[in-house]
């Protein structure tokens, strides 16, 4: 029998879920407009996607310092730095870059938005901090479900907010980023992380080598990193591959929107599925769904093939990322949280950055079919790791 979560837990998780949605609207805006604005401002087309890359570099740079900062000073101060300095200041700098036609100022703004992402990636771990054992996997998945809102509002902001400033249309969506970040800051002021989830000042932490030596840590890291890197690599290549098949931007946008829904809509039930069927089984299911996505993608080039493959890609990512995040929380104590979660996300987003950079290169060098088939070995290695962990120690949902 599942015990209902206390009201305080629900409030905290709701605050984190809303902030997750607000941040993802920002991320989708950058992914949609960053290259377009970069092409308009850059001295050479070769630098057009540098603003998007700058956001990823910012994420990789700040993700470990963000975790260590929050370990020392707490979740709420860290999240406020992310929303105000990253989202607010970053959005304002990007707007200034557009208004003054400064490519490098625009890149700086996107780099600061990477700082925003560096802190925002810990919303899911904060959900584990504020939830009881019985509610933990559901709390993580509910925070991830904030992406469902972003799946609709992100593309809307990138296209409709261009009417805010007639003289500089592309500045409008970034101005909205400022407003959303400040709104998130106001909500975070009401976030209450229980004292029990904060490590005691004299708490003893194991060396990181000991933590990383745990099979569960390695599987958690592999699941999240492989799932995220494959997702970003294939997702980034999809509009280009669809263009090659003769589809326009409207069709590509539709596929991408359903892909984002596939990523986040399952989060409403992922926690329940983990509690019912076990964490290891859900990770294996995520691997199986990614394999299915590959075979659908290589079986044809119709709109339906792209649509179905990208929906499956999103669902597979969800199961692996939420499952891996849940498993990671079982590998460290509160005193070890900062370095463990920071190292995890540093590896994850380093691979995500590599995946985004390799996407176009692989598509044009080996083609859409082989780009997808090359993802299979990593998925199979992950599945073997999960299977071995299941048969050497218990892998389940948190107690309760």
């Amino acid at each position: 029998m599942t015990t209902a979560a206390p009201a305080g837990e629900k409030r905290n998780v709701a605050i984190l879920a809303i902030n997750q949605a607000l941040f993802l609207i920002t991320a989708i805006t950058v992914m949609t407009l960053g290259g377009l604005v970069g092409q308009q401002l850059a001295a050479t087309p070769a630098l057009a996607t540098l603003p998007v890359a700058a956001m990823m570099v910012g994420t990789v740079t700040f993700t470990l310092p963000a975790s260590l900062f929050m370990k020392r000073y707490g979740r709420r101060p860290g999240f406020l730095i992310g929303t105000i300095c990253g989202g607010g200041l970053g959005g304002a700098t990007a707007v200034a870059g557009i208004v003054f036609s400064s490519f490098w100022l625009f890149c700086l703004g996107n780099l600061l938005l990477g700082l925003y992402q560096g802190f925002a990636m810990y919303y899911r771990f904060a959900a584990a901090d504020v939830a009881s054992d019985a509610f933990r996997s559901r709390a993580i998945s509910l925070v991830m479900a904030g992406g469902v809102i972003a799946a609709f509002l992100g593309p809307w902001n990138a296209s409709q907010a261009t009417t805010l400033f007639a003289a500089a249309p592309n500045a409008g969506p970034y101005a909205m980023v400022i407003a959303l970040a400040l709104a998130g800051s106001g909500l975070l002021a009401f976030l209450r992380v229980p004292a029990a989830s904060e490590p005691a000042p004299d708490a003893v932490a194991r060396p990181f080598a000991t933590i990383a030596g745990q099979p569960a840590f390695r599987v958690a890291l592999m699941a999240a990193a492989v799932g995220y890197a494959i997702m970003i690599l294939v997702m980034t290549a999809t509009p280009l591959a669809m263009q090659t098949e003769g589809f326009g931007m409207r069709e590509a946008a539709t596929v991408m929107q359903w892909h984002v829904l596939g990523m986040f809509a399952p989060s409403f039930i992922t926690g329940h599925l983990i509690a019912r069927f076990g964490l290891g089984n859900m990770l294996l299911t995520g691997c199986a769904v990614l394999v299915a996505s590959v075979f659908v993608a290589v079986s044809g080039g119709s709109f339906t093939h792209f649509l179905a493959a990208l929906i499956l890609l999103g669902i597979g990512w969800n199961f692996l990322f939420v499952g891996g995040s849940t498993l990671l929380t079982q590998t460290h104590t509160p005193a070890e949280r900062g370095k463990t979660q920071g190292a995890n996300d540093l590896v994850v987003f380093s691979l995500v950055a590599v995946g985004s950079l390799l996407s176009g290169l692989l598509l044009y060098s080996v083609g859409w079919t082989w780009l997808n088939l090359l993802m299979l070995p990593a998925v199979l290695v992950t599945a073997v790791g999960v299977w071995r962990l299941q048969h050497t120690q218990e892998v389940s949902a948190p107690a309760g």
Side-chain angles (χ1 to χ4, degrees), residues 23 57 170 175 180 200 216 218 255-256 289 312 359 368:
F23 158 69
V57 170
N170 289 323
L180 294 175
R218 295 196 295 269
V255 167
M256 296 303 288
V289 174
L312 290 172
S359 182
W368 174 249

Side-chain angles (χ1 to χ4, degrees), residues 15-152:
I15 291 171
L16 293 167
I18 293 171
N19 269 275
Q20 173 84 347
L22 297 178
F23 158 69
L24 287 171
I25 293 171
T26 296
I28 293 171
T29 298
V30 173
M31 295 299 293
T32 304
L33 286 179
L36 175 63
V37 177
Q39 187 178 46
Q40 295 173 349
L41 299 180
T44 171
L47 298 176
T49 59
L50 186 59
V52 179
M55 182 177 182
M56 298 309 303
V57 170
T59 302
V60 173
T61 301
F62 292 109
T63 184
L64 181 56
S67 183
L68 296 177
F69 177 90
M70 288 188 287
K71 174 180 179 289
R72 182 168 183 177
Y73 298 104
R75 293 293 192 190
R76 186 172 58 180
F79 291 151
L80 287 172
I81 288 176
T83 52
I84 296 172
C85 298
L89 183 59
T93 305
V95 168
I98 295 171
V99 170
F100 295 108
S101 299
S102 172
F103 175 72
W104 296 110
L105 192 59
F106 181 66
C107 287
L108 176 61
N110 283 272
L111 181 72
L112 289 173
L113 291 174
L115 182 152
Y116 185 12
Q117 180 164 252
F119 279 94
M121 286 295 101
Y122 294 100
Y123 290 150
R124 70 191 194 279
F125 289 129
D129 295 342
V130 301
S132 60
D133 286 346
F135 189 50
R136 184 163 296 140
S137 62
R138 294 179 181 85
I140 293 175
S141 61
L142 287 171
V143 168
M144 297 298 293
V148 175
I149 300 172
F152 293 98

Side-chain angles (χ1 to χ4, degrees), residues 9 58 75 89 101 111 115 118 129 166 206-207 219 231 256 275-276 289 298 311 325 330 346 360 373:
E9 290 184 34
R75 293 293 192 190
L89 183 59
S101 299
L111 181 72
L115 182 152
D129 295 342
R206 295 170 293 172
V219 170
M231 185 277 294
M256 296 303 288
R276 181 176 178 84
V289 174
V298 303
I311 291 174
S325 300
Q330 302 175 12
L346 178 63
L373 291 175

